[in-house]
Each structure stands twice: as C-alpha cells, then as structure tokens.
Amino acid sequence: MKLSIVVPVYHVEDTLSRCIDSVLGQSYSDYELILVDDGSPDSSGAICDEYASRHTHVRVIHKSNGGLSSARNAGIDVAQGDYITFIDSDDFIGENTLPILMSRLEAHPDYDILEYPVYWHHGGKDATILKFGVNTYEDMRDYWLRGKAYSHSYACNKVFVSRLFAHVRFVEGRKFEDVHTLPLLLEQARKTCTTEEGMYYYTSNPNGITNNPGADGLRDLLDAHVKQLHRMGLTDHLTEYYAHVLNVQLDAYVATRDAPILPTPPITSSAIRSLGMGVKTQAKLQMLKLLGIKNLCKLHRLIHPSRSRL
C-alpha cells in the first residue's frame, strides 16, 4: 500500500462526511483511510462505522479521548502505507490532490516530505491561499529558515515518508503540537519539496486554537520555538526566525506574565538592517537592543493590555 491517510475524529458530525468524501472522491486508489474516533460524544463514531461498512479503503479505530496528538499517534501505529498524510476532520482536500501529489512522489522517491498549498481559513473573512513556491531542500535548516517552514509547520498539508515516524510521534498534552513535532521529523529527513499543486482546505473556525490560543497555547508555542532555536544553535545569532519568535515571546508574556525564556543574541543596528524586515519589526529589535528582553516585554504589555486576557 502506498499511502495511509490519518483523520482524527472528535465532535465533528457536521463536517466529517465532507472530509471523508473529499478523499473517497479522489481519482487515486492505493490508500487506506484511517478514521480515529477519539471518544467523540456525538454521532461521529457511528458515521465512521457507516463509511467503513461501505468502503474497503476505510478503517476505523475507536479509542478513549486523548486529544489530537493521541489520535494521530493511534493512526500512525496501525498505518501500513509507504507514506502518511493527515487531514483534520473539519477540513478537506481539493479535487485530484492525491493523484497529483502521489505522482510527484513516485517520480521522486528521494523526497521525504512533500508540502502543498493551503486554502487558509476557507469560508472565513480572512481566507487566503498560502503557496510556498516550487523548491527542493536537501538541508532541513535551509527549509526551516529560508523556506520559513516555522511559519507553516502544519502537519496536514504534507505527505511524509513513513520511515520518519519510526522513532517520532506527535507530542501529546501540548497545544500547537505541529510546531513541537515537525522539527523532530526534519531531523530524520534528507529531502523536502514544496509544490504549488494540490490544495488543503483549512476551514475557518473562530473558536479554534489558531484564533484563540489562550495563555497555555502561547506558552506551548513559545516553548516549541525556543527549543528549536537551541536545537539549531541560533540563540547567538539574529535571524528573521528570531524576530518571529520574539513576537511569540511578547504575546506570551502579556497572556501569562511568565518570565521571558527567549535568549537575546548580540544585536547591532547593522544586523537588524541586514534582515530586511519591516519597519515595525526593526523598531522592536532596536528596542530589544536598548531595553533587553524583560523590559521590552513589560513595555509590550503596557501597549497591549487587552492581550493579557487571553
């Protein structure tokens, strides 16, 4: 079998059929669709069973509730495909996405990860299509930094070769689990490709964690990025990625009042200018240079006091 598709299922009786049908309607057949009922309290589990009774491609796992990462890991544990991909059950994929992606992987068996476009917040006011160009990365550090994978570290718009999960599972008990997990998978990868073919529809959810991270979510997101900075040895260098994490640190401080954990690299005005960032980001970095991380966090909280209610 070529492809395993893992779909965590929890309280999605209104959107589940759309997700499943988007897979079953593909003109590609060498796959298994693993529906993981994560102790859903509504009729989602019954919907899964009904599809499995009618379609040989569909397998169902019923388990007690453990969260998104736990459900994905349960699917990984039984997956039989050479490749694995993930679809959240309130999302769906575009027509002919699977044949396009799998044809690309068949032509390039050296690709360990294939990333494809996302229709971000489909159905919402801020809907936009995210594309990442057509690029091949043999250096995962380059993919993370130059390719800005840190800003689109979603698990759901990627097809992974299964061997990457030999010793890696999604981090459980954390929010923003993708940001925690993708760096671990990249440590195992040798080549990543981005394509502008295919489409993952990430549907708008005003109550979701992306729009409402809360204090715990921001704490987890910051922790994931700081660990990656240490992992990559970037704590002593000013980079565009560092500027990205600085914004996370500032918002996390406002929401949690936790002492800042982001290390401060040596900062010079010339280094700031060399990043080519926007005026606001350059101003923040200049203020960091003058005030230090603790005082910058306090200033940010004075300017944005409402964010402390997250």
Side-chain angles (χ1 to χ4, degrees), residues 138-149:
E138 296 188 18
D139 182 346
M140 298 305 102
R141 180 187 180 96
D142 192 35
Y143 171 58
W144 189 262
L145 297 177
R146 183 173 64 85
K148 298 184 181 181

Side-chain angles (χ1 to χ4, degrees), residues 72-178:
R72 284 177 178 169
N73 290 340
I76 293 169
D77 288 342
V78 302
Q80 299 177 2
D82 297 328
Y83 294 90
I84 298 178
T85 194
F86 304 91
I87 305 175
D88 287 346
S89 46
D90 52 353
D91 299 335
F92 59 101
I93 57 174
E95 185 178 356
N96 291 323
T97 290
L98 292 185
I100 290 171
L101 298 179
M102 298 311 296
S103 176
R104 175 64 64 89
L105 288 169
E106 184 176 352
H108 300 275
D110 53 334
Y111 290 171
D112 292 328
I113 302 173
L114 178 60
E115 180 174 27
Y116 62 103
V118 179
Y119 200 131
W120 185 249
H121 286 179
H122 177 261
K125 294 181 180 179
D126 56 346
T128 185
I129 294 178
L130 304 179
K131 292 186 176 182
F132 317 108
V134 179
N135 298 289
T136 301
Y137 302 90
E138 296 188 18
D139 182 346
M140 298 305 102
R141 180 187 180 96
D142 192 35
Y143 171 58
W144 189 262
L145 297 177
R146 183 173 64 85
K148 298 184 181 181
Y150 57 81
S151 66
H152 47 92
S153 56
Y154 331 116
C156 290
N157 71 320
K158 299 172 180 67
V159 183
F160 304 88
V161 68
S162 295
R163 69 166 181 80
L164 298 184
F165 290 95
H167 303 291
V168 175
R169 290 294 184 271
F170 284 91
V171 178
E172 298 187 23
R174 294 292 193 100
K175 297 180 180 180
F176 291 101
E177 55 282 311
D178 292 354

Side-chain angles (χ1 to χ4, degrees), residues 238-250:
L238 183 61
T239 63
E240 191 171 349
Y241 176 42
Y242 180 90
H244 175 88
V245 183
L246 175 60
N247 286 326
V248 179
Q249 171 66 87
L250 294 174

